[in-house]
Amino acid sequence: MPGLVDARQIDRASISRHLDRARSLREGDPPLAAPTCVALVFAEPSTRTRVAFAQAVARLGGRALHVDAAGSSLAKGEGMEETIRVLGALEVDGVVLRTPVDGLPADLAAAGLGPWLVNAGDGRGQHPTQALGDTLTILAAGLEPEGLKVAMVGDLTGSRVAHSLLDLWPRLGVDLRVLPCGPWEGQAERLQDMGEATAWAEVVYALRPQTERWSERRRAVWSGDEGAAGPDEVAKGDYFARFGVASLAPGQRLMAPGPCWPGVDVAPSLLFADQSLVLDQVTWGMYGRMALMEGLAS
Ligand code: NCD
């Protein structure tokens, strides 16, 4: 089943192909191919990703059908595999899926259910189109991935964006180091604290505390309902001092997949400042998805 479910499917060649097409599309070139109809199946909330996909389909000249978990037979207990088979029977070209279930898009893709499948974020798993758009963002900002110093700070464990970028960026030569706010056993080199992160990095990449995926205990510590925080725990009141992006050095860039919590993970004055690439990520995310779906349609 064609599509994109994991950042490991993205290689250098596909990045440069997508960058060329995304740039041309942004400059107003007409699409070379377009899906007729794409179902956006979202079983978790989303603003950027959902609207970016909808915009991308519309700009290509196709139609997006929104299938929300709460308003579809998913709420009556129908499974995702059955849902995708039904959408295939309705002759959609492709399905874009966001799900809280880790690994589900990969399993469904392996089952080969008919329409192409793109993963728009699965639980703590993967978010490959965010990684694609973020890579287009750094390239378009004139940053060379080879040797680029990126400090990724915040909730890496809960973040599918982190997992996709940790798969993709080191393969492109990015020097990606981390300052996780919770338990984390990944391979990347660790930074000591925000002082080291901001002194070292060319790009500070902020990940919001994804408390919706935290244990009850971690959430209680977060809200101050539990006593002292353990080593991998943090109270909301302490987060900004330990993991928040409070300032940027001259020339240093800020990235974040969003949503951000201004005043908690990023200083409000930095979020949309000149040094911030946060809105560029949103825009390139849309053009990257256009390039991806154009390729899937051709
Ligand atoms: C992220 C997600 O849903 O994984 N957002 C996004 O897609 N742009 C990150 C988040 O929710 O914090």
Side-chain angles (χ1 to χ4, degrees):
M1 189 158 158
L4 177 64
V5 294
D6 192 307
R8 277 167 285 220
Q9 293 171 261
I10 306 172
D11 56 19
R12 268 174 199 273
S14 60
I15 288 282
S16 66
R17 202 171 52 243
H18 288 317
L19 180 65
D20 287 349
R21 282 308 298 151
R23 276 200 169 126
S24 304
L25 289 162
R26 192 166 185 176
E27 282 159 13
D29 263 23
L32 302 173
T36 310
C37 186
V38 176
L40 308 184
V41 182
F42 275 64
E44 268 192 2
S46 169
T47 302
R48 293 155 189 75
T49 306
R50 182 208 301 255
V51 180
F53 270 109
Q55 268 287 62
V57 175
R59 296 262 183 109
L60 288 172
R63 238 164 8 106
L65 300 178
H66 294 269
V67 183
D68 286 337
S72 68
S73 289
L74 287 164
K76 299 180 190 171
E78 187 162 47
M80 198 56 87
E81 178 172 334
E82 292 71 26
T83 301
I84 293 180
R85 286 187 194 277
V86 168
L87 293 168
L90 290 166
E91 301 183 354
V92 304
D93 300 354
V95 173
V96 172
L97 174 62
R98 170 163 289 194
T99 168
V101 183
D102 289 19
L104 183 60
D107 291 346
L108 294 169
L113 304 175
W116 51 252
L117 184 70
V118 172
N119 179 5
D122 60 311
R124 294 185 178 82
Q126 285 277 324
H127 198 346
T129 62
Q130 180 73 39
L132 176 64
D134 288 353
T135 309
L136 302 183
T137 303
I138 58 171
L139 291 166
L143 300 168
E144 175 53 46
E146 187 66 52
L148 184 69
K149 295 178 190 165
V150 178
M152 187 175 273
V153 303
D155 186 5
L156 275 86
T157 314
S159 171
R160 50 204 174 206
V161 175
H163 297 144
S164 284
L165 288 175
L166 283 156
D167 281 340
L168 179 63
W169 279 4
R171 284 193 280 120
L172 302 179
V174 174
D175 186 353
L176 184 50
R177 301 190 189 180
V178 301
L179 180 65
C181 75
W184 193 73
E185 287 170 0
Q187 297 296 312
E189 195 165 322
R190 288 175 89 115
L191 296 154
Q192 287 303 310
D193 51 30
M194 281 307 293
E196 189 190 1
T198 45
W200 170 78
E202 293 166 83
V203 175
V204 181
Y205 195 108
L207 294 162
R208 144 187 97 88
Q210 292 170 52
T211 50
E212 70 273 27
R213 301 197 189 98
W214 287 8
S215 67
E216 242 174 75
R217 154 86 201 173
R218 280 187 80 202
R219 274 209 300 270
V221 170
W222 175 256
S223 56
D225 296 340
E226 198 69 40
D232 285 329
E233 297 167 344
V234 58
K236 186 175 181 187
D238 298 332
Y239 190 88
F240 189 71
R242 291 178 55 195
F243 303 103
V245 186
S247 62
L248 293 169
Q252 197 169 43
R253 312 309 295 264
L254 170 70
M255 294 181 77
C260 289
W261 290 352
V264 176
D265 53 4
V266 175
S269 61
L270 295 181
L271 189 52
F272 303 123
D274 288 349
Q275 283 169 259
S276 169
L277 296 173
V278 166
L279 294 178
D280 303 70
Q281 289 173 263
V282 177
T283 307
W284 283 110
M286 178 184 71
Y287 284 106
R289 288 165 180 125
M290 279 179 79
L292 174 70
M293 290 190 287
E294 182 191 69
L296 289 169
S298 56

